[in-house]
């Protein structure tokens, strides 16, 4: 006869006084004993997706150039969509910002925004001038 043979087949005890602990709270008790530190972060990073950079046509580049020039000359409020490379994996994501363009640095080929943000010109995908201007011809008109 083993040490616990007398209790091995008894039903599980349920207290009349204490409410059972939730599964989340029971699991939280063992969280500090995770076998691999950083494992969850590594899995999350591997699952994170990135987008690839979309090259725009020469026609669209000319159109964006015109819009940029107009926005700078008129100190227009603009929405700019541009690509940001991911630091940890290949690809990146598209980001949108709204603001005024402070300067077009042609030497470094970047836009300097009034809030201090620097946007590389080749990564600009779209520019929308907030105030409507009929004087900028569309790419179809050129």
């Amino acid at each position: 006869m083993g040490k616990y043979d007398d209790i091995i087949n008894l039903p599980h005890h349920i207290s009349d006084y204490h409410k059972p602990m939730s599964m989340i709270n029971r699991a939280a008790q063992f969280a500090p004993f995770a076998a691999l530190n950083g494992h969850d972060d590594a899995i999350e990073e591997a699952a994170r997706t990135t987008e690839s950079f979309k090259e725009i046509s020469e026609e669209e580049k000319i159109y964006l150039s015109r819009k940029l020039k107009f926005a700078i000359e008129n100190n227009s409020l603009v929405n700019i969509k541009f690509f940001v490379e991911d630091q940890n994996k290949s690809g990146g994501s598209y980001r949108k910002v709204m603001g005024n363009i402070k300067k077009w640095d042609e030497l470094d080929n970047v836009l300097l925004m009034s809030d201090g943000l620097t946007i590389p010109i080749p990564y600009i995908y779209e520019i929308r001038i907030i105030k409507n201007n009929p004087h900028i011809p569309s790419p179809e008109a050129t």
Side-chain angles (χ1 to χ4, degrees):
M1 183 167 165
K3 190 174 180 182
Y4 300 104
D5 285 347
D6 60 332
I7 63 169
I8 196 76
N9 292 321
L10 290 177
H12 177 72
H13 174 71
I14 298 173
S15 173
D16 294 330
Y17 305 104
H18 302 289
K19 194 167 102 174
M21 187 182 288
S22 72
M23 293 300 272
I24 292 173
N25 288 341
R26 286 178 58 84
Q29 289 181 323
F30 300 100
F33 302 103
L36 299 172
N37 288 334
H39 181 68
D40 290 338
D41 294 337
I43 290 174
E44 189 176 303
E45 176 63 21
R48 189 174 58 86
T49 59
T50 58
E51 295 179 76
S52 58
F53 176 68
K54 301 170 196 154
E55 188 73 35
I56 62 173
S57 70
E58 287 301 316
E59 194 174 87
E60 291 170 315
K61 288 178 185 177
I62 292 167
Y63 183 56
L64 288 178
S65 176
R66 288 181 187 161
K67 277 187 161 184
L68 278 174
K69 188 174 182 179
F70 175 84
I72 293 167
E73 289 172 355
N74 294 286
N75 196 25
S76 300
L77 185 64
V78 293
N79 276 331
I80 300 177
K81 181 178 180 180
F82 63 101
F83 185 76
V84 179
E85 289 182 345
D86 195 295
Q87 299 298 316
N88 300 321
K89 54 181 12 177
S90 65
S93 62
Y94 281 88
R95 181 176 167 199
K96 289 183 180 179
V97 295
M98 182 175 13
N100 293 90
I101 302 167
K102 182 178 178 182
K103 181 181 175 186
W104 181 346
D105 185 345
E106 293 183 42
L107 183 64
D108 292 329
N109 205 21
V110 295
L111 282 184
L112 302 173
M113 301 298 287
S114 58
D115 63 358
L117 178 66
T118 302
I119 303 173
I121 299 286
Y123 288 140
I124 295 176
Y125 184 74
E126 179 180 86
I127 298 170
R128 292 184 188 257
I129 296 174
I130 302 300
K131 69 177 188 178
N132 206 1
N133 183 6
H135 301 296
I136 301 176
S138 67
E140 297 83 32
T142 58

